[in-house]
């Protein structure tokens, strides 16, 4: 049991930081970092009341070296039905070697381990090489428009140079350290509206059914092979997530058909190319349509190098595992950081319970997780 990490994690879980509320988590972390010589910059963005909290904290060592960023989010997803929880989700609770609470795994566990790892590292290496920085937001589990993306814009405007970044997302699958995310697929969404002519269902010759018109095109889109992927990414996928048409009456041909869809795309495709191919299919089928496109994030990839070498070596030393590199899963704030940082990876605790009722993390993993972060710091900055 790693008591300093456990105590900090319990304090963070106790703060009801439902997105986008930070509930004082970043102030608690900043207070501890300030005692270690960090220059802390609270960065509220968003509405006039600054509802989204962000923090940029940086410490310079005494020698030349890279800037290593430790990134994460203090906000958590809603709890769901409280009566289904075995205990209050904002009261840290121990049972059978697990610590229960919302955010226990995603991702207050990583934040606590990172802070304690840095405290130990700075005590042992006060004149370390380069810089250590924290980039925290309370807008990761929400729309992600006033959080890390805005901080990265702020950093770019200041001319900040970032060299490597570890995002504390829970990436481990069955054992701590068995997987590191060294990239993520891009996300491109669209809302397609196909126009028809509303009419009485008994007189189809006087109407135009947009559902009937769209179905052949949708079948073609679903069968398309968008790319073949590569050694790091699976092939690009296209999925329909929602479809709606009609007035609710059974005797009315709808006047329009609305479809929501999403591409998860590899580095073999571009947003512009995917848009062009999809729209060409719709035009070829003679549809009257419009699409509202939303680019959620570009794909990014960190190839084996100094950062992955240090992190993989630390995992091997602490756990004995040869970690697997993966780009599977959803998006993360790594997609924003990758715009201004050449090496971005994600690593954290076991993710089996994230976003679930009775979210938890193994207490026995807290010490090893902190040690992995610390030894990675030593590998890059000592």
């Amino acid at each position: 049991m790693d008591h300093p990490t456990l105590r900090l994690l319990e304090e963070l879980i106790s703060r009801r930081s439902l997105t986008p509320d930070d509930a004082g988590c970043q102030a608690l972390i900043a207070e501890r970092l300030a005692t270690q010589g960090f220059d802390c910059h609270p960065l509220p963005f968003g509405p006039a009341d600054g509802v989204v909290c962000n923090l940029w904290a940086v410490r310079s060592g005494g020698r030349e070296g890279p800037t290593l960023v430790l990134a994460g989010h203090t906000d958590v997803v809603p709890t769901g039905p409280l009566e289904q929880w075995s205990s209050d989700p904002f009261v840290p609770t121990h049972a059978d070697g697990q610590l229960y609470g919302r955010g226990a795994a995603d991702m207050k566990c990583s934040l606590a381990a990172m802070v304690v790892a840095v405290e130990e590292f700075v005590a042992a290496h006060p004149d370390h090489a380069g810089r250590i920085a924290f980039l925290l937001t309370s807008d990761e589990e929400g729309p992600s428009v006033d959080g890390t993306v805005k901080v990265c814009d702020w950093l770019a405007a200041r001319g900040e140079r970032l060299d490597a970044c570890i995002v504390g997302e829970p990436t481990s699958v069955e054992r701590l350290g068995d997987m590191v995310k060294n990239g993520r697929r891009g996300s491109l969404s669209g809302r397609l509206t196909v126009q028809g002519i509303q009419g009485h269902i008994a007189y189809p010759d006087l109407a135009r059914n947009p559902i009937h018109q769209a179905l052949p095109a949708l079948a073609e889109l679903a069968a398309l092979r968008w790319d073949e992927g590569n050694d790091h990414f699976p092939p690009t996928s296209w999925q329909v997530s929602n479809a709606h048409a009609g007035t609710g009456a059974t005797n009315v041909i709808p006047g329009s058909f609305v479809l929501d869809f999403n591409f998860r795309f590899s580095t073999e495709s571009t947003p512009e190319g995917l848009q062009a191919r999809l729209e060409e299919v719709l035009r070829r089928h003679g549809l009257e349509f419009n699409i509202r496109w939303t680019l959620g994030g570009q794909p990014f990839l960190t190839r084996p190098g100094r950062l992955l070498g240090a992190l993989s070596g630390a995992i091997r030393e602490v756990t004995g595992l040869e970690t697997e590199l993966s780009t599977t899963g959803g998006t993360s704030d790594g997609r924003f950081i990758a715009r201004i940082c050449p090496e971005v990876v994600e690593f954290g605790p076991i993710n089996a319970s994230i976003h679930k009722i009775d979210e938890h993390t193994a207490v026995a993993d807290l010490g090893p997780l902190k040690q992995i972060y610390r030894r990675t710091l030593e590998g890059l900055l000592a």
Side-chain angles (χ1 to χ4, degrees):
M1 184 182 297
D2 187 70
H3 294 286
T5 304
L6 176 60
R7 287 195 298 270
L8 178 54
L9 175 55
E10 290 174 334
E11 287 189 76
L12 292 172
I13 291 174
S14 298
R15 285 161 167 77
R16 189 182 177 86
S17 57
L18 290 170
T19 188
D21 188 5
D22 170 68
C25 292
Q26 291 176 28
L28 171 64
I29 292 173
E31 182 179 358
R32 292 182 65 142
L33 294 178
T35 66
Q36 304 299 314
F38 279 78
D39 186 12
C40 298
H41 300 270
L43 298 169
F45 290 118
D49 58 358
V51 66
V52 172
C53 294
N54 302 288
L55 177 68
W56 171 254
V58 62
R59 184 190 197 277
S60 297
R63 294 177 284 121
E64 290 292 320
T67 295
L68 173 62
V69 180
L70 303 175
H73 60 89
T74 53
D75 59 325
V76 298
V77 296
T79 61
L82 290 175
E83 66 274 11
Q84 294 184 18
W85 283 73
S86 302
S87 58
D88 189 322
F90 296 103
V91 175
T93 303
H94 292 260
D96 300 322
Q98 305 290 327
L99 175 61
Y100 288 83
R102 178 55 88 218
D106 189 13
M107 56 172 285
K108 293 178 176 181
C109 175
S110 294
L111 297 182
M114 286 174 168
V115 170
V116 175
V118 165
E119 289 172 341
E120 293 183 358
F121 174 77
V122 169
H125 307 279
D127 297 321
H128 60 81
R131 300 189 303 167
I132 309 169
F134 278 80
L135 195 169
L136 307 180
T137 184
S138 69
D139 185 37
E140 198 273 348
E141 298 290 11
S144 299
V145 297
D146 292 309
T148 299
V149 63
K150 290 284 184 67
V151 178
C152 288
D153 290 342
W154 181 81
L155 291 170
R158 285 164 54 96
E160 288 279 0
R161 182 179 65 87
L162 312 184
D163 298 293
C165 177
I166 302 173
V167 185
E169 289 291 341
T171 60
S172 301
V173 181
E174 295 180 356
R175 294 178 58 190
L176 177 68
D178 62 4
M179 183 172 288
V180 168
K181 302 290 185 180
N182 67 319
R184 294 281 190 170
R185 293 175 295 175
S187 176
L188 175 65
S189 298
R191 170 160 286 188
L192 166 66
T193 301
V194 179
Q195 298 296 335
I197 299 176
Q198 182 173 312
H200 196 293
I201 207 159
Y203 300 96
D205 54 314
L206 301 178
R208 189 173 78 239
N209 193 319
I211 301 176
H212 292 185
Q213 284 192 303
L215 287 178
L218 297 181
E220 181 175 339
L221 292 171
L224 269 178
R225 189 77 169 178
W226 300 92
D227 61 43
E228 299 301 321
N230 54 37
D231 291 342
H232 303 282
F233 291 96
T236 291
S237 68
W238 182 78
Q239 293 291 319
V240 173
S241 58
N242 190 40
H244 175 77
T247 64
T250 60
N251 60 350
V252 178
I253 292 172
S256 64
F257 178 37
V258 180
L259 191 87
D260 294 324
F261 61 86
N262 176 265
F263 286 102
R264 290 301 165 104
F265 63 99
S266 75
T267 49
E268 296 298 308
S269 291
T270 66
E272 297 79 12
L274 295 172
Q275 292 176 23
R277 288 183 66 188
L278 184 140
E279 292 180 8
E280 186 277 328
V281 171
L282 300 179
R283 284 192 295 270
R284 182 157 39 79
H285 282 268
L287 301 184
E288 180 185 348
F289 70 93
N290 64 75
I291 302 178
R292 186 172 75 240
W293 293 99
T294 302
L295 179 60
Q298 293 277 7
F300 72 91
L301 178 69
T302 296
R303 298 181 184 276
R306 190 175 181 193
L307 175 59
L308 277 172
L311 179 57
S312 299
I315 291 171
R316 184 185 311 112
E317 186 177 354
V318 174
T319 69
L321 297 177
E322 292 294 335
T323 194
E324 177 186 353
L325 301 182
S326 172
T327 61
T328 59
T331 59
S332 77
D333 277 359
R335 68 192 190 274
F336 304 127
I337 301 169
R339 299 177 187 173
I340 62 171
C341 184
E343 295 185 68
V344 179
V345 300
E346 302 169 21
F347 172 68
I350 293 173
N351 59 24
S353 68
I354 62 174
H355 292 207
K356 293 183 178 180
I357 301 293
D358 285 345
E359 179 181 352
H360 57 273
T361 196
V363 174
D365 283 346
L366 298 181
L369 179 61
K370 181 266 297 178
Q371 281 296 97
I372 290 169
Y373 289 140
R374 177 178 172 176
R375 294 188 186 189
T376 302
L377 286 163
E378 291 170 344
L380 293 171
L381 303 179

